Amino acid sequence: MSVSIKDIAKISGVSTATVSRALSDPTRVSEKTRQAIMEVVEKHGYRVNSHARSLRRQRADAILALLPDLGNPFFSVILSGIELELQDHGMDLLVADSRATERTGRSVFNHLHASRVDGVICLDGTPTDAARAELAEPDVAERVVFACEWMADGDFPYVRSDNRGGGALAVDHLVGLGHCDIAFLRGPVDNILTEEREAGVREALAKHGLDLPDTRVGGHDFTLEAGFEAAEWIAGLSPRPTAVICTSDQIAIGLMSGLRERGLSVPDDVSVVGFDDIASAAYVTPSLTTIRQDRIGLGRAAAQVMLKRIGVGKAPEACVCTLPVSLMTRHSTAAPKA
Amino acid sequence: MSVSIKDIAKISGVSTATVSRALSDPTRVSEKTRQAIMEVVEKHGYRVNSHARSLRRQRADAILALLPDLGNPFFSVILSGIELELQDHGMDLLVADSRATERTGRSVFNHLHASRVDGVICLDGTPTDAARAELAEPDVAERVVFACEWMADGDFPYVRSDNRGGGALAVDHLVGLGHCDIAFLRGPVDNILTEEREAGVREALAKHGLDLPDTRVGGHDFTLEAGFEAAEWIAGLSPRPTAVICTSDQIAIGLMSGLRERGLSVPDDVSVVGFDDIASAAYVTPSLTTIRQDRIGLGRAAAQVMLKRIGVGKAPEACVCTLPVSLMTRHSTAAPKA
DNA sequence: CTGAAAGCGCTTACAG
DNA sequence: CTGAAAGCGCTTACAG
C-alpha cells in the first residue's frame, strides 16, 4: 500500500541504510546521494513508519498527559503549553483521563509499560492506591513528572505554581483594603493545592496578627456548583465575614452568583478573591480579583522538565520548578463597609 | 531491560506464538496452557509492546483529535467524550493543535502518514490550503471524520449539532417574548457554524415575517473579547435592538459585561441569547439563556463514527450524525420594555 | 561514504 | 492445540 524505505532505496539505487541516514543524519551521506534520495522521497511522499522506528530505536517520541478530568476547562491551556513545547522537539502528545481510565480497570501507566510513550506528565495529585503502587516501581518513577498537583509524600520532579505565595498575595491584598474577618473556601479534601493555598493564607494572616478559625473555613470542591452552594453558608454566618478567598475561580464565580441570589452585593457586602485567572474571570460581574497562574508556562515547563528527565535535548539539570503567581486586582474586592 | 514475549515463552515452556494467542485470542489455546501463561505474565508484569504489535498488525489503535485551538476550553468536554468512547474500544487518543502545527511547517496529517494513528477526528472546519490538498488524497480522506465544524465543500463523514435548528430556537424564543428587533453576533469570517446559525436565524425570522438587515449583524470572533467589543456597537445603535443572538456563550458573556459597563441592563434593556451552554453560562449574572449543545455526545458520536469508518466494532452504517440542540431558558432574556 | 545483515518484539498463515 | 518461521519497516554497529 504505502511506500516504504525499501521502495525508496530501490528507486534511488542505494541501500535502505543510506536512505535511513539521508533522512536522520544527512551529514553522513554525500550531498549528491542525499539530494537524489530526497527527490525520490518527496515525489513519492514517503514518511518514516513511526512504529518501525520506535521499535528499533526503543523510543516512542511521545508523552502522555494524565489529567484528573479531561472535561475540566482549567487544563486546556496547560495542555496547549505542553503541546507547544513537545512540538518543538518533534514529540507527540497523548492524553488520558485518570479517573476514566481507572473505571476501565486498566492501569493509568499502561502506556508506559507498553512503551507507547516515553514519559507521563501527571496532573493528578491524588492517584489511586493501585497507581501509587506503580509509581513506586523504579522504571515507572523515573519517567514521571508531576505538574500543577503532586503527591505530598512523593519525591518526583515537578512543576507547580507558588500556591503558598498566592494565598499570601490574596491575604495581603484584602488586609491592605482593611479586611480582618476573612473566610476561606477549600477545594476537594486531600487536594494538595487547597492545602498549600490555605497554608499560605494562614501564614500571611498570622503575619498581620490575624487567624483563620475553623468556623471560617468551608468548601469541598473546585467547581462552580460548590461555590454556589457555599454562598448559603457564607450568607448565613453571623457576623458575616467581609471577604472570602476561594481556591479556584470557578468557586469564586459560583459563590458570587449565589451571594447575589441572596441579595448580597459583591464587593459591597462581601469581597471575593479567586485563584487561577481563567479567561472569564475578567468578564464576569463584577470582574474577579484573582491570583493568576501562568498556565501556558506551567505546561511548557512541565514538558521541558519531562524532556530533560528522559534525556531529550539539554543535559539534565534542575528538575523542579516553581512558577510565580501574581495578583490581578479587579472589581470583586473593595474596602469593607464601615 | 523490560520483559518480552520471548521471555514469557521460555519461562512458560511454550512458543511465542502460543503466548501471543493466549493474550489475544484465549479460545485458541487450551485452558491449562492459558492459565499457566497468564500466571507467568502476571508475575513478571509483561505487557505487549505497542510498537511491535502495531507494526505487525498494521494498525496503530490510536486516533488523533485535531483542534483549531487546544487552549480553548470549549473543546475540553468534547475531548473527554471522544476519550470515553475510544477507551471502551482500547484505542488511544492523541491530540494536536492544527494552528500550532502549521506554524512548525509540518503537515497536520503527518501522524496519519507515519501510521501513528488510524484516523483523525478533525474539529477544524477551516484547514489551510496545504491541509485541504492532503484531504483530497484518498488515503487521507478515508481516515478523516469532521466533528462540530466541517468544510462546506467537502464530503466527509461528520458529527455536528443542529446549528440551524439552534438559530431557529433562539429566534422563536425571543419572538415569543415579543421581540421584533433582533441583532446577531457572528463568529469568525468563513466559519461554518456562524453561517449555519445565521441561516437558521434568518429562516425563523422570515417565518415570523421579520428579517435581519445588515445593520443588525456584527461580530468577528467567538471570544469574550469580541463580545465585549461588540457591546459598544450595540449600545450605539439607534434605535437599539431589544435582543441579541450570539453565536457563542463566550461572546454573550463578553457582551453582557460590556453592556453593563455602558449602563445597560440585561435583560431589561437588551435580552441576550448565547450558544453552547458552557458550564459557566448558568452562573454568570444574569444567568445566560442559551442553546445547549451536547458536547459529550458530540465527542462520543465522533469517536463512534471514526471507529466505524476504520472498521473497528460494528459494521459501517450511517456515517453522518446531527445531534439535536435545546433551548435553556434562563435570566438573560425577558419581554422587551414597552 | 556506503552496504549487508542483524534485530527491535510482535503476529499469523502454514503445517502438523 | 501448538510450533517453526517469515516478515511488519525501520536503524545501526560492523566492514570495507
Side-chain angles (χ1 to χ4, degrees), chain A residues 64-75:
Chain A
L64 172 71
L66 193 60
L67 315 191
D69 178 8
L70 236 186
N72 183 338
F74 172 77
F75 296 110

Side-chain angles (χ1 to χ4, degrees), chain A residues 38-57:
Chain A
M38 291 316 272
E39 226 161 78
V40 178
V41 165
E42 286 294 310
K43 183 175 163 198
H44 295 266
Y46 167 73
R47 317 284 177 106
V48 175
N49 179 296
S50 80
H51 303 299
R53 169 174 278 182
S54 289
L55 177 59
R56 182 54 233 242
R57 288 195 178 164

Side-chain angles (χ1 to χ4, degrees), chain A residues 68-104:
Chain A
D69 178 8
L70 236 186
N72 183 338
F74 172 77
F75 296 110
S76 57
V77 176
I78 298 175
L79 222 44
S80 86
I82 294 175
E83 204 228 358
L84 237 39
E85 191 65 31
L86 290 182
Q87 253 188 185
D88 288 347
H89 294 268
M91 307 273 295
D92 297 332
L93 175 60
L94 300 238
V95 298
D97 183 311
S98 53
R99 309 247 198 282
T101 303
E102 280 152 9
R103 181 186 55 88
T104 68

